[in-house]
Amino acid sequence: MTATLAPSCAASRVRGAVPPVRQRGFTLVEVLVALGIVSIALLSGVQASSALTRNAQRQTDTLLAQICAENELVKVRLVKQMPGVGENAFTCTQADRSFNGKLIVATTPNPSFLRVDAQVFDGEYSILRLTTVVGRF
């Protein structure tokens, strides 16, 4: 028994015939689209990390300003007399950072109490303001 090949199979077995080569790879348009997508993803990642850094710095500033304001309010409470009404400036250094502040003493409807505000600034910008009431001892 002899087997005969179909004409299409016989043609592909002919010596010297090169099968069609399918080109592999990406087109320029596909590469540019992928590059655009990657650049957008990286840009959003940079913006997110920048926001996290700013928030961490603001949290640090607020914590240090709170320590400064609390220290000033404790000083007012430790003095055995009522503070004078008006504004007093103070400076405070925490963690090698220098903050400026204002201690504002105001009257209240009850003459036995005074309102005391401690406001802490970093340059021109207010970071924190704490308020308490001081009474006669």
Side-chain angles (χ1 to χ4, degrees):
M1 268 184 69
T2 60
T4 56
L5 296 173
S8 62
C9 290
S12 65
R13 292 199 175 228
V14 175
R15 290 184 187 228
V18 178
V21 177
R22 182 177 167 130
Q23 295 181 352
R24 291 192 231 165
F26 299 104
T27 64
L28 180 61
V29 173
E30 291 171 333
V31 170
L32 290 176
V33 168
L35 185 62
I37 291 171
V38 168
S39 65
I40 290 171
L42 288 175
L43 182 63
S44 65
V46 167
Q47 287 178 343
S49 65
S50 174
L52 288 174
T53 303
R54 281 192 313 273
N55 287 339
Q57 183 62 46
R58 186 172 48 227
Q59 184 178 9
T60 301
D61 290 346
T62 303
L63 176 66
L64 296 176
Q66 182 173 0
I67 292 170
C68 288
E70 286 177 353
N71 285 345
E72 290 301 315
L73 294 177
V74 167
K75 285 179 190 177
V76 169
R77 288 191 176 272
L78 288 176
V79 175
K80 296 296 183 190
Q81 60 183 349
M82 296 283 277
V85 175
E87 290 186 11
N88 294 319
F90 66 89
T91 58
C92 177
T93 303
Q94 294 291 331
D96 294 330
R97 299 247 348 248
S98 182
F99 296 98
N100 297 321
K102 238 190 321 189
L103 197 64
I104 305 164
V105 181
T107 59
T108 62
N110 186 338
S112 296
F113 297 101
L114 292 175
R115 174 184 166 154
V116 181
D117 296 321
Q119 190 170 9
V120 181
F121 299 93
D122 185 15
E124 297 178 9
Y125 303 103
S126 176
I127 299 174
L128 180 79
R129 183 179 192 140
L130 290 181
T131 302
T132 190
V133 176
V134 177
R136 295 193 192 277
F137 297 108

